[in-house]
Structures are given as structure tokens and as C-alpha cells.
């Protein structure tokens, strides 16, 4: 987001005295430029200019040499008297060695607060009381240089303008507030001081001077000459039918002093606007870009051969960009190249230059480039190479095609003034730009769309105020937008201009009436009920990003043919190491549990309700839909067919103790039964009937302690149980941790939409019967319970397993399962014959279905 320094903004528009960043933000928000943040003063307190009177090196026992300095800080000296009048200077310890007696430096006196925050106070160190600190650039937030302290004349300050005790906060611009604004994608012109100043003038009526017009420059841009540095555009494969470059201006400045520093005022403005000072040539191009909004590039003229050719990349071409990254180029990339056949790549057009032609400390002759590139081409290249450069941010939003010559002239003037160079008379300006197309706008359209009456004169005046040319013809206005507003292409866009300049506050707030008879869907109610039930059971709900990697799936031990390995790969992932959409919840929930355990929380109970993506093999590819028009029904149907199913799952993880220890007891560790019970709870709240069966083959669960939840049609709706030991070891989770995951969408579908019918409560007493069956050890308890339920019939109200026993008296490979049954009739008290019939049916069903023998 652009940062606005108030003193720089004043170069373009008249500002009232004492304008604060807060007031500026309020003025800009009225015309749609929202405040993002106000960055306060970088330094507070007494930061002053000091003159080093004496520097005494003192070697230390640790091998380091410090300097004991006497520094004159004028009226801030020990006795308040300048050293020239006999005052006593301050003694300061300094570890840097790039200065000497007589140098003018920046001194932070006690009470100063530097960025960090880092308060300065008098303190005893190395055998002295250091009464302040001599500052480096990094300590003041002016740059990354920390090797030595600031010597002001070396930064471009004239020694005659400096004196000890002078306020260095104002001198270095460290007390200025900076406003950061949020710019919408359609208003790229606001990525410049020129554009923001224009908007401030719209908001307040202040006088605005457009420094993007040739007549407002100290030196008018010269016309192109036959001997200008040759430029060719060879775009045989334009994107969406638009040539990638329609204007290219070059200028040459010779004889620049390579040692010429960037002046302090320019460094301060660049750094306040969020850019780091690099070198004079680079800083000047960045400065003009921020000022006018036109990205520029400076080449070392000795490293460039005519002609410059703008073309698309060829297969196999590569480029090392200025960030020292070697990049494989794409056929859609627009390149800046040179040499007679355009074989050598100099940079990615509108994005970033290449390392082969960058200016260096030895550069004396500079070739200045100011061009206009196709926004779509630049946007795609910047995203393809993940290079969101400052130039790309502006080009992809649209740059004024009239700016290149003006901006290039401004760069030339600054390089001549600050670097001692000479402007070459040769100028090239390849210009195939076209004028903006006029748009017919009904004069009453703003009133009809906004619901506010705007007079004809007001509509015309506002459109002319924002730079449009308006021709009136009856009830229709023919409006030609200004060149810096490529977003104004349809009548509704001009309506927005009228509304925002007239004031959004004129539009009344009318709330639409809410239609009756609508509420939460059944699935939404179920989702809330499930989340509430799990929270009441002691679990904490979490949210995690749905992006995973192949390594995450490997960590869960999923076999190669597991359907959960068929994941959707993102074309432009947020993180390169997580390019896949998750196919189940545990893959991300277990990472959340691992992070909590690693931070000293061994007892974790978490759950998540979220979507998973399950691609279908052979699904059609998503179509490329047109932009700017509504897709046809067939297009939308094809798009819907390409979207993979995204069912909603519920998963939970328990580690350590489920019931905490305390004075009430020793607590209890979570086990597989807790996970299964929580999965059953989800199914119960969803209203679905599920059967439980053992599952020894599904990772990441333990092969002997995992249960599958099965719907009536045989669909497996989820799993619950103890996690596999190898998975736990690999993730760093406690042993015997448990988890569950169920498909909530499948449960809701299985439950159907029928309302739950209330059952009557019997007023007759219950009868209780207990059974203990001996079965083979590998017979699941759930299978025995199902047999008991089937044999008990309609009189059964509840069946609960209350004991599991193994022992020598049962024989090898046997176990005893004891169930308690509660029986009740709705219309009578049960007789002994009723109970006996139930008992006989239970014993018979258990013997027939699972081979159970009633324990004697």
C-alpha cells in the first residue's frame, strides 16, 4: 500500500499549515482512499547534531577497541553552553571507527527513544559514564548500514548549514508522520503523489498543480530525434489481441559522477515512502516513479547494445533478475532485449530488470527507459514469477500513457543536477498509443443508479473536475476519460465518479426488508448442534488452513492407492511447500495438536468442522470463462461439473489425559473408546443410525484399535480409535493418542429430512436382566450387542456393555462380555413370562449370530 509523506505531497497541492496525517486520512477517505495505518514519528526526544572534539581509542581486554569521545552538542552540553563559548562537552562511548575529531554526527541524548523502542540513558560502560549515543543509520531507522555511525556531510548535508545542538529530528525528517492508504485495484493512479494530490484537491478544493503535464516541467521534454537509441517492438503473440508495449521512450545521460551520493532529502522521502535508498541513478528513477506514477529503469549504457527489442520469450530462455534469481521464462512473458537480433534478455518488461545491464558503482553513462506496457501481460508475468515489484503494481493497474516522456525528462534533469551528468540530445519515442474511447452516459444515470438527485450542471462539472472531456448532446453526455483513468470504460464507472466526488454521505442508508420464512438449513442446524455437543464434551474447536503437502500425507502413512492421496493441486498456492488441498481433516488437525504438545500442553482435546476436497478421477477440466460478460448456462454447468466434491467433515484428536488429575482423583487417559463415543455423538446429533465394526486396514489408525462407522447402505462414514504408533512417533505426539473423523455431509444425507417423532414415555415399571456371554476373543463387542438387541425385540429399552473379562477359566482365545438390559412395555407391567421370552430370544440370537454361550 502507498505511504504518503505530507511534505512531499505539498509539492503537488497546496496543504494547510499544520496538516496532520489523521486530518489527511479523513480528507482522502471522503473520495474513496481508505486509511490503512498512520506511522508515527520514528524518533522522539532530544536527537541533535554534534561535533566530535576529541576521539581517544581505548583497547579493551576482550580485544575490542572503543572510542572515548568528547562531543559538542551546543546548548545541550553539560553546562548548557556551546563549546565555542567555553562550555563542557558530553563524554560518549562509541564502538564505531569511521569518524574522527571535527566530524559532525547525530547524537541521541538521554531521554531519546529510538526505533525498537530503544530508550537512551546515561550509563556506565567501559569505565566511563556515556552521556548519550552517537547513532548509525540502522539505529535511526534510516537504512541497514550498521558498520559505522552517520557523518552528516557524507549524506549530502552542507557543513555550513549544520551547527552543534541543532535539532536532528527535523533535519532527518524523523519526526514526520506518514499515512499509509489502501488503494482499490481500479485506481492505480493513486500509487503516486501526483494521483493522491489530485484526490486531495477533489476532496478539499485545494489548488492542484499537475506535474505530469509537460508545461509544468522546468524543462519541456524534447521531441524524438533520428539518432535516438533505437527501439523496436516485435510482439507476434499479443495477449487478448493487445500488443504488449505501445510506447517506449529512451534518454541518455553521460558523464555522471559514479561517486555522487543521493541527497539526504531524497533519501528521507524515499524511506518515508517505504523504499530503500540504493544509488543515485536507481534512487532517482524510484523517486520519479513514486512522484508521478511512471515506472522507469536505468541501464548502464556501456552494457547495452542497440537496438532495444521488446518481444515475447522463446522456449528455453532464462534470465537472472536483479534479485539474483535465475528464472525460466514463459512464452507469454514480455521481454526487454538487446543486440542486433534481440538475443540477449535485459529484463522482464514492467516487472524487473536483469543483472547483466544494471547500473553499478562504476557507471558513468546511463540509458533511461520509460515505457507503457499492457496491464494484463505485466500482471500475469509478475504472478507467474512471484515478483510483485513496485513497477508491476503500477503497470498492472494502468499507467498514464502520456507520462513516459515527462517522467524520462524529470529523471534526466535530476541526474544532471545531482550527478553532474550531461543530457544527450538523442531522444527516441516509439509511440503507438491510442486516445481513450468516448462513452455515452445518460445525464440522469447517476440519479437513477444512486437514488440521489444530481443536477445536470453538477454531473458535467464533476466529470470535468476528474479530468474528463464532456460533450453535451441532449439527454446524453459523450464523455472521454483522461489518460490516467483506464478504468473508466462504461457508464456505471462515470456514475461512481459523480457519486464519490459529490459525497457518499449524500446517499441515504436504506436497509432491505428481510423476507420471512427463512432460517438456518437443516445442515447448518446440525453443524451447530455437533459443534456445541463436542464443546460440551470438553473439546476445543480450532480452525486450520486447508493446504497440505505430500510430506503431510506421508507422515500419516497413507498407502499409495489410498483415495485420500488423490488431492487437488493448486495452480498458484499461497506456499510452495503446501500446494495441495486437504482430502481429510486429520492431516491438518494433527499438526495443530502437535504444535500444542510441543509448547508444553500434553493434554489436548481438539476438534474441527471443515470442508475437504475429494477430486473425482476423470473429471472434466474447468473451462476458461470470459471476463466482463455473464457466462452462459452451459458455461456455468461445465464449471460446476469441474468443481470437485467438497464434503464437510468433523474430526477430533485427544492426547494425554481426558479427565484431569486433582484432589478428586488420579484422572484418566484418553483411549480408543473415548474417540468412538465422540464419533457416535456426532452421528447422534446428525440423526443418522450407524453401525460399528472393527477396521484393521485404515491409516493413520492402530490396526487393532480402530472402528469404522457404517451407514445402513454400507457406506463407511468415518473412523475412530487409537492412532498408529509410527504416526504418533513421527509427529511427536504422546503414545496412545486417539482420534476420530466422520463425514458430516454423509451423516446428514443419511438422516433424511423427516422430522423426529416424539416417543411416548411409559408409566409402567422396568424389568432388568443381565447376561454374560462367552465368545471368541476376536468377536467384536458391537456384534454381540447387535445380536442381543435383535433377540430382545420391541420390549428392549436399553442394552449396555458393563464388563469385559478374560481368564484361564474361560479357556484360551475366549472372553466374557456382560450386558445389562432394561425392558419395558408401553401398555402393561411385564410379567415373568414376558421377561423369560426376552431372555430366551437373547440367548438364542447370540448363539446363532456370533456363537455366544451363556456363561454359567
Amino acid at each position: 500500500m502507498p505511504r504518503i509523506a505530507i511534505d512531499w505531497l505539498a509539492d503537488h497541492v497546496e496543504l494547510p499549515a499544520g496538516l496532520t496525517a489523521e486530518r489527511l486520512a479523513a480528507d482522502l477517505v471522503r473520495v474513496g482512499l481508505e486509511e490503512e495505518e498512520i506511522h508515527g514519528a520514528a524518533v522522539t526526544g532530544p536527537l541533535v547534531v554534534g561535533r566530535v572534539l576529541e576521539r581517544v581509542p581505548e583497547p579493551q581486554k576482550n580485544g575490542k577497541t572503543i572510542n572515548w569521545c568528547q562531543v559538542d552538542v551546543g546548548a545541550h552540553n553539560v553546562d548548557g553552553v556551546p563549546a565555542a563559548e567555553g562550555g563542557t562537552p558530553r563524554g560518549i562511548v562509541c564502538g564505531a571507527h569511521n569518524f574522527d575529531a571535527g566530524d559532525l554526527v547525530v547524537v541521541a541524548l538521554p531521554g531519546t527513544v529510538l526505533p525498537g523502542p530503544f530508550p537512551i540513558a546515561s550509563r556506565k560502560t567501559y569505565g566511563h559514564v556515556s552521556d548519550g549515543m552517537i547513532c548509525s543509520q540502522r539505529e535511526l531507522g534510516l537504512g541497514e548500514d550498521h558498520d559505522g555511525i552517520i557523518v552528516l556531510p557524507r549524506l549530502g548535508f552542507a557543513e555550513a548549514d549544520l551547527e552543534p545542538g541543532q535539532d536532528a529530528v527535523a533535519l532527518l525528517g524523523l519526526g514526520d508522520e506518514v499515512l499509509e492508504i489502501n488503494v482499490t485495484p481500479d485506481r492505480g493512479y493513486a500509487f503516486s503523489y501526483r494521483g493522491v494530490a489530485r484526490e486531495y484537491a477533489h476532496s478539499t478544493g485545494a489548488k492542484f498543480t499537475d506535474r505530469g503535464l509537460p508545461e509544468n516541467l522546468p524543462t519541456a521534454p524534447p521531441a524524438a530525434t533520428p539518432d535516438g537509441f533505437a527501439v523496436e517492438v516485435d510482439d507476434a503473440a499479443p495477449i487478448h489481441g493487445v500488443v504488449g508495449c505501445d510506447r517506449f521512450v529512451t534518454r541518455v545521460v553521460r558523464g555522471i559522477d559514479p561517486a555522487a551520493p543521493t541527497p539526504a532529502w531524497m533519501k528521507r522521502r524515499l524511506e518515508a515512502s517505504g523504499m530503500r535508498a540504493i544509488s543515485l541513478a536507481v534512487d532517482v528513477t524510484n523517486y520519479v516513479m513514486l512522484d508521478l506514477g511512471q515506472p522507469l529503469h536505468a541501464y548502464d549504457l556501456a552494457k547495452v547494445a542497440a537496438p532495444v527489442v521488446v518481444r515475447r520469450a522463446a522456449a528455453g530462455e532464462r534470465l537472472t533478475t536483479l534479485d539474483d534469481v535465475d528464472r525460466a521464462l514463459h512464452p507469454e512473458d514480455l521481454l526487454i532485449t538487446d543486440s542486433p537480433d534481440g538475443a540477449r534478455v535485459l529484463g522482464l518488461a514492467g516487472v524487473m530488470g536483469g543483472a547483466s545491464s544494471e547500473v553499478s558503482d562504476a557507471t558513468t553513462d546511463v540509458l533511461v527507459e520509460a515505457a507503457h506496457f499492457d496491464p494484463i501481460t505485466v500482471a500475469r508475468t509478475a504472478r507467474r514469477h512471484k515478483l510483485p515489484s513496485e513497477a508491476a503494481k503500477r503497470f498492472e493497474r494502468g499507467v498514464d500513457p502520456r507520462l513516459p516522456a515527462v517522467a524520462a525528462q524529470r529523471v534526466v534533469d535530476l541526474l544532471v543536477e545531482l550527478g553532474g551528468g550531461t543530457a544527450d540530445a538523442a531522444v527516441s519515442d516509439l509511440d503507438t498509443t491510442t486516445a481513450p474511447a468516448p462513452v455515452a452516459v445518460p445525464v440522469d444515470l447517476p440519479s437513477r443508479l444512486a437514488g440521489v438527485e444530481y443536477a445536470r450542471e453538477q454531473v458535467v462539472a464533476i466529470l470535468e473536475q476528474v479530468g474528463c472531456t464532456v460533450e453535451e448532446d441532449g439527454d446524453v453526455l459523450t464523455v472521454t476519460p483522461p489518460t490516467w483513468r483506464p478504468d473508466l470504460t462504461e457508464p456505471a464507472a462515470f456514475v461512481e465518479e459523480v457519486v464519490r466526488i459529490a459525497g457518499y454521505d449524500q446517499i441515504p442508508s436504506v436497509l432491505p426488508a428481510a423476507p420471512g420464512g427463512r432460517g438456518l438449513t437443516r445442515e447448518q442446524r446440525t453443524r451447530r448442534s455437533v459443534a456445541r455437543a463436542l464443546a460440551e464434551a470438553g473439546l476445543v474447536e480450532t480452525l486450520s488452513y486447508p493446504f497440505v503437502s505430500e510430506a503431510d500425507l506421508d507422515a500419516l502413512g497413507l498407502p499409495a492407492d489410498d483415495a485420500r492421496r488423490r488431492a487437488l493441486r493448486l495452480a498458484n498456492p499461497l506456499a510452495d511447500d503446501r500446494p495441495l488441498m486437504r482430502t481429510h481433516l486429520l492431516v491438518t488437525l494433527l499438526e495443530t495438536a502437535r504444535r500444542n504438545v510441543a509448547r508444553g500442553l500434553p493434554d489436548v482435546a481438539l476438534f474441527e468442522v471443515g470442508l475437504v476436497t475429494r477430486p473425482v478421477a476423470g473429471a472434466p477440466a474447468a473451462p476458461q470463462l470470459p471476463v466482463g460478460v455473464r457466462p452462459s448456462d452451459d458455461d456455468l454447468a461445465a464449471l460446476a461439473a469441474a468443481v470437485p466434491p467438497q464434503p464437510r467433515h468433523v474430526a477430533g484428536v485427544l492426547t494425554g489425559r481426558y479427565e484431569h488429575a486433582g484432589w478428586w482423583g488420579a484422572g484418566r487417559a484418553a483411549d480408543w473408546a473415548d474417540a468412538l463415543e465422540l464419533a457416535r455423538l456426532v452421528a447422534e446429533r446428525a440423526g443418522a443410525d450407524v453401525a460399528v465394526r472393527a477396521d484393521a486396514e485404515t491409516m493413520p489408525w492402530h490396526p487393532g484399535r480402530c472402528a469404522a462407522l457404517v451407514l445402513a447402505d454400507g457406506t463407511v462414514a468415518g473412523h475412530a480409535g487409537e492412532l498408529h504408533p509410527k504416526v504418533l512417533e513421527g509427529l511427536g505426539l504422546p503414545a496412545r493418542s486417539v482420534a476420530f473423523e466422520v463425514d458430516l455431509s454423509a451423516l446428514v444425507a443419511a438422516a433424511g429430512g423427516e422430522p423426529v417423532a416424539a416417543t411416548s414415555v411409559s408409566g409402567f415399571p422396568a424389568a432388568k436382566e443381565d447376561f454374560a456371554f462367552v465368545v471368541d476373543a476376536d468377536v467384536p463387542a458391537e456384534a454381540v450387542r447387535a445380536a442381543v438387541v435383535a433377540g430382545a425385540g420391541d420390549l428392549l429399552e436399553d442394552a449396555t456393555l458393563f464388563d469385559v473379562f478374560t481368564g484361564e477359566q474361560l479357556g484360551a482365545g475366549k472372553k466374557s462380555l456382560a450386558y445389562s438390559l432394561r425392558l419395558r412395555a408401553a401398555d402393561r407391567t411385564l410379567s415373568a413370562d414376558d421377561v423369560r421370552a426376552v431372555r430366551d430370544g437373547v440367548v438364542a440370537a447370540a448363539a446363532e449370530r456370533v456363537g455366544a454361550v451363556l456363561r454359567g
Side-chain angles (χ1 to χ4, degrees):
M1 296 299 141
R3 295 189 180 197
I4 307 301
I6 295 177
D7 70 320
W8 193 349
L9 188 66
D11 289 354
H12 298 264
V13 65
E14 291 185 357
L15 302 179
L19 177 67
T20 64
E22 185 176 0
R23 179 69 258 168
L24 176 61
D27 291 335
L28 292 178
V29 77
R30 285 200 298 269
V31 287
L33 298 179
E34 297 181 358
E35 170 193 341
E36 185 75 15
E37 185 178 354
I38 293 178
H39 301 272
V43 177
T44 59
L47 187 78
V48 300
V49 175
R51 184 181 294 277
V52 180
L53 301 179
E54 183 181 0
R55 178 175 72 90
V56 179
E58 295 184 355
Q60 304 297 309
K61 293 181 180 179
N62 59 6
K64 180 179 180 180
T65 298
I66 61 97
N67 295 300
W68 173 237
C69 305
Q70 300 299 314
V71 185
D72 175 19
V73 287
H76 299 278
N77 282 337
V78 174
D79 50 9
V81 179
E85 301 175 13
T88 304
R90 290 186 182 244
I92 299 176
V93 172
C94 183
H97 304 283
N98 67 320
F99 68 103
D100 211 334
D103 282 340
L104 288 161
V105 296
V106 180
V107 180
L109 300 177
T112 305
V113 180
L114 302 181
F118 180 52
I120 303 301
S122 295
R123 63 189 183 94
K124 187 171 183 179
T125 179
Y126 295 107
H128 300 282
V129 175
S130 185
D131 201 14
M133 185 175 79
I134 306 176
C135 302
S136 70
Q137 290 191 43
R138 193 168 75 178
E139 288 161 344
L140 295 179
L142 293 175
E144 293 302 314
D145 185 5
H146 195 58
D147 295 334
I149 55 93
I150 294 173
V151 178
L152 288 168
R154 298 176 193 167
L155 288 184
F157 292 97
E159 188 166 344
D161 298 332
L162 305 173
E163 62 179 15
Q166 181 179 346
D167 181 13
V169 171
L171 181 70
L172 299 173
L174 298 173
D176 298 338
E177 291 183 321
V178 175
L179 172 64
E180 186 174 359
I181 59 174
N182 187 4
V183 178
T184 54
D186 60 329
R187 299 172 69 184
Y189 64 92
F191 271 80
S192 68
Y193 280 88
R194 177 200 186 201
V196 173
R198 188 190 304 277
E199 292 302 302
Y200 179 82
H202 293 335
S203 174
T204 64
K207 182 181 178 181
F208 167 68
T209 302
D210 189 353
R211 297 187 180 275
L213 300 179
E215 55 265 30
N216 291 329
L217 289 181
T219 305
T225 61
D227 59 343
F229 199 94
V231 176
E232 300 174 5
V233 174
D234 179 16
D235 189 4
I239 297 177
H240 63 91
V242 176
V243 174
C245 176
D246 57 7
R247 192 168 188 189
F248 202 107
V249 173
T250 63
R251 299 291 300 278
V252 175
V253 181
R254 302 180 187 274
I256 297 173
D257 179 4
T262 301
W265 62 266
M266 182 178 288
K267 279 187 177 182
R268 177 173 58 81
R269 285 186 169 187
L270 287 173
E271 287 157 358
S273 301
M275 298 198 76
R276 180 173 59 90
I278 299 172
S279 65
L280 178 61
V282 176
D283 293 344
V284 165
T285 59
N286 286 337
Y287 181 84
V288 175
M289 176 184 69
L290 293 176
D291 194 50
L292 300 179
Q294 169 66 51
L296 302 111
H297 191 71
Y299 301 92
D300 187 331
L301 183 61
K303 300 177 182 177
V304 182
V308 166
V309 180
V310 184
R311 61 172 176 82
R312 301 285 171 173
E317 281 192 294
R318 305 188 70 87
L319 169 66
T320 300
T321 45
L322 287 174
D323 55 358
D324 292 327
V325 176
D326 179 59
R327 302 179 185 277
L329 302 180
H330 187 277
E332 284 191 0
D333 291 336
L334 191 67
L335 307 180
I336 309 296
T337 66
D338 75 341
S339 73
D341 57 355
R344 187 176 63 151
V345 181
L346 300 180
L348 290 168
V351 180
M352 184 175 285
S356 64
S357 58
E358 66 176 320
V359 295
S360 65
D361 295 340
T363 300
T364 58
D365 299 338
V366 171
L367 175 68
V368 178
E369 167 206 308
H372 184 261
F373 299 113
D374 170 48
I376 294 178
T377 296
V378 173
R380 291 183 180 177
T381 297
R383 282 156 179 76
R384 186 180 301 117
H385 296 284
K386 297 181 175 59
L387 275 175
S389 65
E390 292 297 326
K393 290 177 185 177
R394 289 159 175 80
F395 277 125
E396 68 184 19
R397 289 167 170 81
V399 173
D400 186 352
R402 292 194 308 172
L403 274 179
V406 174
Q409 181 62 47
R410 184 78 177 110
V411 171
V412 169
D413 290 343
L414 287 171
L415 288 177
V416 170
E417 175 188 352
L418 303 176
T422 302
D424 199 316
V427 177
S428 76
D429 187 352
L430 190 156
D431 187 356
T432 60
T433 58
T434 57
V439 179
V441 181
V443 72
D444 64 340
L445 186 62
S447 300
R448 287 191 283 115
L449 294 185
V452 176
E453 281 299 321
Y454 297 105
R456 180 192 188 96
E457 296 76 12
Q458 184 182 15
V459 172
V460 173
I462 289 176
L463 293 177
E464 291 178 341
Q465 180 183 351
V466 298
C468 298
T469 301
V470 182
E471 297 179 8
E472 301 184 49
D473 183 13
D475 293 334
V476 177
L477 305 177
T478 301
V479 186
T480 303
T483 54
W484 61 85
R485 294 299 303 272
D487 57 303
L488 301 180
T489 57
E490 56 185 17
F494 294 95
V495 170
E496 182 182 359
E497 293 301 296
V498 172
V499 171
R500 75 180 184 89
I501 299 300
Y504 290 116
D505 54 352
Q506 294 188 14
I507 302 176
S509 298
V510 180
L511 294 177
R518 297 183 181 179
L520 297 176
T521 65
R522 185 168 62 89
E523 183 172 356
Q524 289 172 328
R525 291 194 300 271
T526 301
R527 191 192 317 164
R528 294 190 178 191
S529 178
V530 166
R532 184 167 53 249
L534 292 176
E536 290 171 350
L539 278 69
V540 176
E541 185 172 10
T542 67
L543 294 174
S544 58
Y545 286 114
F547 312 119
V548 299
S549 66
E550 290 285 355
D552 295 326
L553 303 178
D554 294 339
L556 299 190
L558 303 185
D561 59 348
D562 194 302
R564 290 170 293 175
R565 278 200 176 270
R566 188 187 302 124
L568 181 70
R569 182 174 294 272
L570 297 172
N572 187 25
L574 291 179
D576 290 337
D577 59 341
R578 293 176 178 269
L580 307 178
M581 294 293 290
R582 68 185 175 193
T583 56
H584 57 131
L585 286 187
L586 279 182
V587 68
T588 54
L589 188 59
L590 286 173
E591 172 60 22
T592 304
R594 184 204 63 76
R595 189 178 301 113
N596 280 269
V597 170
R599 293 178 181 176
L601 299 173
D603 303 329
V604 173
L606 306 174
F607 80 95
E608 180 172 357
V609 181
L611 298 177
V612 300
T613 305
R614 305 301 292 268
V616 178
Q624 294 290 330
L625 300 185
V627 177
V629 297
R630 185 187 185 281
S632 67
D633 292 341
D634 291 341
D635 289 337
L636 293 175
L639 182 63
V643 176
Q646 292 181 286
R648 191 175 303 277
H649 282 205
V650 183
V653 177
L654 304 175
T655 70
R657 294 180 182 273
Y658 189 33
E659 296 176 3
H660 295 293
W663 58 266
W664 54 85
R668 181 178 65 81
D671 61 19
W672 64 268
D674 295 313
L676 180 57
E677 188 59 30
L678 291 169
R680 285 181 179 273
L681 177 62
V682 172
E684 176 190 333
R685 289 305 175 97
D689 292 327
V690 295
V692 177
R693 72 180 186 208
D695 190 325
E697 299 179 353
T698 302
M699 290 294 286
W701 281 276
H702 191 293
R705 303 186 184 116
C706 172
L709 281 72
V710 184
L711 298 173
D713 62 358
T715 302
V716 176
H719 293 84
E722 185 177 310
L723 292 169
H724 198 286
K726 289 185 178 179
V727 172
L728 296 175
E729 181 181 359
L731 293 175
L733 291 172
R736 308 300 292 270
S737 295
V738 301
F740 71 88
E741 178 166 351
V742 294
D743 186 339
L744 183 59
S745 297
L747 294 178
V748 172
E754 296 298 326
V756 177
T759 57
S760 59
V761 178
S762 174
F764 294 94
K768 295 183 179 180
E769 285 289 313
D770 293 341
F771 298 85
F773 293 106
V774 177
V775 296
D776 293 339
D778 58 354
V779 175
E782 182 64 20
V784 179
R785 183 182 182 278
V788 169
V789 170
D794 295 338
L795 296 180
L796 179 65
E797 190 173 79
D798 181 67
T800 303
L801 174 68
F802 69 87
D803 183 57
V804 179
F805 174 76
T806 57
E808 295 180 358
Q809 56 269 50
L810 296 179
K814 298 292 184 179
K815 64 181 177 182
S816 171
L817 302 177
Y819 293 85
S820 176
L821 275 63
R822 186 171 66 246
L823 311 175
R824 196 192 307 265
D827 56 352
R828 68 187 189 281
T829 299
L830 296 178
S831 65
D833 290 339
D834 293 328
V835 174
R836 187 180 304 110
V838 169
R839 186 177 184 83
D840 292 342
V842 167
V843 172
E848 179 182 350
R849 292 194 173 198
V850 294
V853 176
L854 191 65
R855 185 176 172 189

